[in-house]
Amino acid sequence: MGYVAHPLCQQAAAEVQRYIASVDVWQEEIAKGKMFGVLVVENGDGNLGFLAAYSGLLADRNDWPYFVPAVFDFQQPDGYFKQEEAAISAINQRIILLEQSSQLRDIRDALRRSEEEREKDIKAWKTAMDAAKARRDALRQQRGRDPQSEESLPTEEEMTRESQWMKAELRRKRQHHEAILSAIRAKTDALEKEIKELRILRRRKSEALQQWLFEHFKMLNNKGETRNLLSIFADTSLHVPPSGAGECCAPKLLQYAFSNHLRPVCIAEFWWGQSPTGEIRQHLQYYPACRGKCHPILRHMLQGLDVEPNPFEQALDAIPDILYEDDALMVVNKPAGMLAVPGKTYANSVWDFCKGHCLDADGPMIVHRLDMATSGLMVVAKTKTAHQNLQEQFLHHTVEKTYTAQLERPLPPTTSRNGVIRLPLRPSLLDRPRQVVDMVHGKTAITRYEMLTDVLVALTPLTGRTHQLRVHCAHHDGLAVPIKGDTLYGQAAQRLCLHAGRLCFTHPITGKRMTFTCPADFMG
C-alpha cells in the first residue's frame, strides 16, 4: 500500500486507463475527479491477471462490466436500502415543505406583528402612566405651596385611585396581549413540534439505515475470516465507520479476489480528472488508500498476506551532523528520513541522538521539528533556560528559517518568479497526516518564495503549519508544482527534496544573533 506502483500495476493501470477513456458516457463525470484501482492477482494455476475497480458510484451505478462489483450491493431499486432512503427523503421533503410553507410564514408574521403591537401599546401606556404620576406629583407640590387652592385640586384619595386604576389597566393590557400571543404561539408550536418530531424521526431512520448498511458490509481477509464494518471500526478512534466506508477501490478489489480464490500480488490506485478544490490529486498519479476510511478495513483484509513495508514510512538509521555546540545549545543538520522525536513505530530520532550525546542536558532539548522526510538545520536546547528562551523566539516569530526545495518540473510560465502564497490549511479528517486547503475552517498559512533556478526555490515560512511548504508548492493555487519526492502531494523519488538550509536566531545566553547555513545534498 505504498506510494510507488509496482510495474505490474502500472501495466494493468495503463489498460484500465485506455478503457476508461473509451467510454463516452463517463467522461463528463470522471473529468471532475474519480479514483480508480487495479489489483494484480494469481489464480490456482499460477496465471496472472488483474482486476479493476472505481470508488463509490459511476454514473449512479456500482455494477458496470469490466469492474469488480460492490462489496455489498445496496443500490437495488426495490431493495431495503432504497426503500428506506426514499422514506427518509419523503420525511426530508415534508420538513422542507413545512419550513417553507405560507401557513408557517403567515403565523410567524402574525406573531411578530402581535409582539410589536404589544410592545408599542405597553410602551405608550407606561409613558402615559409616567406623565400622570408627574402631574400628580406637581399637584401635591402645588397643594403644599397654596393651601387655599386645595378645594379645587383632586384629593389624595382620588389621585391614589387613579394610580391604582392605571396599574390595573397595565396588567389588563398585558393579559390581553398575552392571550392573543398565546393563541398564535399555539399554532406556531404545533407546526414547529411537527417539524421537530420529523427531524428526530429522520435522524433515527438515517442512523438505523447506516447501522443496517455497515452490518451488511462483511469484509473478508486472506484467512477466510469475515468482519462487518461496525466490528472493524469499533476499536478505532472514530468508533463508527465513516460514510462511504467499504466503497473505495482497495476493499472492493480484495473482497472480489478473496471471494473468488485469487491471490493478490500487488495493488495500486490512481486519480483521474481534476484535483478537488481543497485536496491535491493529480491526473493519473498513484495514491495510497486513505487512512481514516480504508486503513482500518485493510488491516483486517490484509491479514494472512505477506505485505511489504512501505519504504517511505521507515525511519533512516543515521545520525545528524553537529554544526555548532556550546553549553546552552547545539545546531545539527538532520538527514532526510530521520525523525525529530521518537515515533510509535521506530525510535531513532534527533532527540535520541542528542540525549545520548549530551548526557548532562536538563532541558526538553527539542525546540522545533522537521518532517521525517525533510533534511536540514535544527537548534537543540541543552538547558531548560535555553529551551524556554528559544521557544519564545519561535512563538514571537523572531527565528528566521529558509528552506530550499527542488520542484518536480519548472514552474508554469504564468507563475511569478517570487511572491507570497496564502492558503489556509487543516488536517484531512479521514486521511491524516495529509493536509487540505480550507478557506473557511483552515488556519492561516503564509509562505514567501523566490525561484533560484528553473526548479530550485527558496521558501520562507511566515507561519508554521504542518506540511505548509509541501502543500503551498503542490496546490494549484500555490506554485502548482509539487516538491520532487513528495510522496503525499507529488510523486515518489529517492528522497523529498526539501532542506532547511538557513537558520537564524538569538543566542539565549549571550544575546548574539547567530546565523547558520548548510547546503542541501540534492543541490550538488
Side-chain angles (χ1 to χ4, degrees), residues 380-392:
V380 180
K382 296 170 69 174
T383 68
K384 292 180 181 179
T385 300
H387 185 271
Q388 181 178 358
N389 182 283
L390 289 167
Q391 276 200 325
E392 289 178 354

PDB file of all heavy atoms in Angstrom, residues 380-392:
ATOM      1  N   VAL A 380      18.895  22.744  19.031  1.00  0.00           N
ATOM      2  CA  VAL A 380      18.515  21.872  20.141  1.00  0.00           C
ATOM      3  C   VAL A 380      18.998  22.512  21.443  1.00  0.00           C
ATOM      4  O   VAL A 380      20.161  22.922  21.549  1.00  0.00           O
ATOM      5  CB  VAL A 380      19.134  20.472  19.973  1.00  0.00           C
ATOM      6  CG1 VAL A 380      18.724  19.575  21.134  1.00  0.00           C
ATOM      7  CG2 VAL A 380      18.703  19.863  18.644  1.00  0.00           C
ATOM      8  N   ALA A 381      18.112  22.622  22.429  1.00  0.00           N
ATOM      9  CA  ALA A 381      18.468  23.247  23.713  1.00  0.00           C
ATOM     10  C   ALA A 381      19.030  22.200  24.672  1.00  0.00           C
ATOM     11  O   ALA A 381      18.493  21.098  24.795  1.00  0.00           O
ATOM     12  CB  ALA A 381      17.235  23.909  24.318  1.00  0.00           C
ATOM     13  N   LYS A 382      20.073  22.581  25.401  1.00  0.00           N
ATOM     14  CA  LYS A 382      20.680  21.663  26.369  1.00  0.00           C
ATOM     15  C   LYS A 382      20.280  21.994  27.800  1.00  0.00           C
ATOM     16  O   LYS A 382      20.542  21.215  28.714  1.00  0.00           O
ATOM     17  CB  LYS A 382      22.210  21.704  26.229  1.00  0.00           C
ATOM     18  CG  LYS A 382      22.691  21.204  24.867  1.00  0.00           C
ATOM     19  CD  LYS A 382      24.167  21.459  24.633  1.00  0.00           C
ATOM     20  CE  LYS A 382      25.047  20.601  25.520  1.00  0.00           C
ATOM     21  NZ  LYS A 382      26.490  20.761  25.175  1.00  0.00           N
ATOM     22  N   THR A 383      19.640  23.147  28.001  1.00  0.00           N
ATOM     23  CA  THR A 383      19.193  23.533  29.341  1.00  0.00           C
ATOM     24  C   THR A 383      17.738  23.996  29.276  1.00  0.00           C
ATOM     25  O   THR A 383      17.242  24.398  28.212  1.00  0.00           O
ATOM     26  CB  THR A 383      20.045  24.671  29.920  1.00  0.00           C
ATOM     27  OG1 THR A 383      19.801  25.873  29.163  1.00  0.00           O
ATOM     28  CG2 THR A 383      21.535  24.332  29.878  1.00  0.00           C
ATOM     29  N   LYS A 384      17.073  23.981  30.418  1.00  0.00           N
ATOM     30  CA  LYS A 384      15.689  24.439  30.477  1.00  0.00           C
ATOM     31  C   LYS A 384      15.591  25.922  30.131  1.00  0.00           C
ATOM     32  O   LYS A 384      14.662  26.367  29.465  1.00  0.00           O
ATOM     33  CB  LYS A 384      15.110  24.182  31.857  1.00  0.00           C
ATOM     34  CG  LYS A 384      14.927  22.702  32.186  1.00  0.00           C
ATOM     35  CD  LYS A 384      14.349  22.520  33.585  1.00  0.00           C
ATOM     36  CE  LYS A 384      14.190  21.039  33.921  1.00  0.00           C
ATOM     37  NZ  LYS A 384      13.656  20.834  35.292  1.00  0.00           N
ATOM     38  N   THR A 385      16.583  26.698  30.610  1.00  0.00           N
ATOM     39  CA  THR A 385      16.577  28.140  30.326  1.00  0.00           C
ATOM     40  C   THR A 385      16.687  28.408  28.839  1.00  0.00           C
ATOM     41  O   THR A 385      15.947  29.228  28.272  1.00  0.00           O
ATOM     42  CB  THR A 385      17.731  28.825  31.073  1.00  0.00           C
ATOM     43  OG1 THR A 385      17.576  28.619  32.475  1.00  0.00           O
ATOM     44  CG2 THR A 385      17.757  30.318  30.772  1.00  0.00           C
ATOM     45  N   ALA A 386      17.612  27.708  28.190  1.00  0.00           N
ATOM     46  CA  ALA A 386      17.789  27.883  26.747  1.00  0.00           C
ATOM     47  C   ALA A 386      16.548  27.427  25.987  1.00  0.00           C
ATOM     48  O   ALA A 386      16.112  28.071  25.027  1.00  0.00           O
ATOM     49  CB  ALA A 386      19.010  27.095  26.279  1.00  0.00           C
ATOM     50  N   HIS A 387      15.957  26.330  26.430  1.00  0.00           N
ATOM     51  CA  HIS A 387      14.759  25.809  25.758  1.00  0.00           C
ATOM     52  C   HIS A 387      13.616  26.813  25.829  1.00  0.00           C
ATOM     53  O   HIS A 387      12.939  27.091  24.829  1.00  0.00           O
ATOM     54  CB  HIS A 387      14.347  24.484  26.407  1.00  0.00           C
ATOM     55  CG  HIS A 387      13.204  23.804  25.720  1.00  0.00           C
ATOM     56  ND1 HIS A 387      11.882  24.039  26.052  1.00  0.00           N
ATOM     57  CD2 HIS A 387      13.175  22.911  24.703  1.00  0.00           C
ATOM     58  CE1 HIS A 387      11.106  23.308  25.277  1.00  0.00           C
ATOM     59  NE2 HIS A 387      11.856  22.607  24.455  1.00  0.00           N
ATOM     60  N   GLN A 388      13.387  27.387  27.008  1.00  0.00           N
ATOM     61  CA  GLN A 388      12.312  28.360  27.180  1.00  0.00           C
ATOM     62  C   GLN A 388      12.553  29.600  26.331  1.00  0.00           C
ATOM     63  O   GLN A 388      11.642  30.112  25.683  1.00  0.00           O
ATOM     64  CB  GLN A 388      12.176  28.743  28.648  1.00  0.00           C
ATOM     65  CG  GLN A 388      11.058  29.745  28.922  1.00  0.00           C
ATOM     66  CD  GLN A 388      10.914  30.064  30.396  1.00  0.00           C
ATOM     67  OE1 GLN A 388      11.620  29.512  31.232  1.00  0.00           O
ATOM     68  NE2 GLN A 388      10.010  30.967  30.720  1.00  0.00           N
ATOM     69  N   ASN A 389      13.784  30.081  26.304  1.00  0.00           N
ATOM     70  CA  ASN A 389      14.118  31.271  25.528  1.00  0.00           C
ATOM     71  C   ASN A 389      13.919  31.036  24.036  1.00  0.00           C
ATOM     72  O   ASN A 389      13.318  31.866  23.330  1.00  0.00           O
ATOM     73  CB  ASN A 389      15.560  31.681  25.825  1.00  0.00           C
ATOM     74  CG  ASN A 389      15.966  32.937  25.079  1.00  0.00           C
ATOM     75  OD1 ASN A 389      16.247  32.905  23.885  1.00  0.00           O
ATOM     76  ND2 ASN A 389      16.014  34.063  25.797  1.00  0.00           N
ATOM     77  N   LEU A 390      14.397  29.896  23.549  1.00  0.00           N
ATOM     78  CA  LEU A 390      14.264  29.604  22.120  1.00  0.00           C
ATOM     79  C   LEU A 390      12.803  29.391  21.725  1.00  0.00           C
ATOM     80  O   LEU A 390      12.371  29.823  20.649  1.00  0.00           O
ATOM     81  CB  LEU A 390      15.095  28.366  21.767  1.00  0.00           C
ATOM     82  CG  LEU A 390      16.619  28.578  21.799  1.00  0.00           C
ATOM     83  CD1 LEU A 390      17.349  27.247  21.763  1.00  0.00           C
ATOM     84  CD2 LEU A 390      17.052  29.466  20.626  1.00  0.00           C
ATOM     85  N   GLN A 391      12.053  28.750  22.608  1.00  0.00           N
ATOM     86  CA  GLN A 391      10.627  28.588  22.317  1.00  0.00           C
ATOM     87  C   GLN A 391       9.915  29.932  22.192  1.00  0.00           C
ATOM     88  O   GLN A 391       9.052  30.115  21.333  1.00  0.00           O
ATOM     89  CB  GLN A 391       9.955  27.738  23.404  1.00  0.00           C
ATOM     90  CG  GLN A 391      10.084  26.244  23.204  1.00  0.00           C
ATOM     91  CD  GLN A 391       9.041  25.469  23.981  1.00  0.00           C
ATOM     92  OE1 GLN A 391       8.655  25.857  25.078  1.00  0.00           O
ATOM     93  NE2 GLN A 391       8.581  24.363  23.420  1.00  0.00           N
ATOM     94  N   GLU A 392      10.277  30.874  23.057  1.00  0.00           N
ATOM     95  CA  GLU A 392       9.673  32.207  22.989  1.00  0.00           C
ATOM     96  C   GLU A 392      10.051  32.899  21.680  1.00  0.00           C
ATOM     97  O   GLU A 392       9.238  33.619  21.098  1.00  0.00           O
ATOM     98  CB  GLU A 392      10.121  33.038  24.186  1.00  0.00           C
ATOM     99  CG  GLU A 392       9.499  32.580  25.507  1.00  0.00           C
ATOM    100  CD  GLU A 392       9.990  33.386  26.687  1.00  0.00           C
ATOM    101  OE1 GLU A 392      10.905  34.226  26.487  1.00  0.00           O
ATOM    102  OE2 GLU A 392       9.489  33.175  27.810  1.00  0.00           O
TER     103      GLU A 392
END
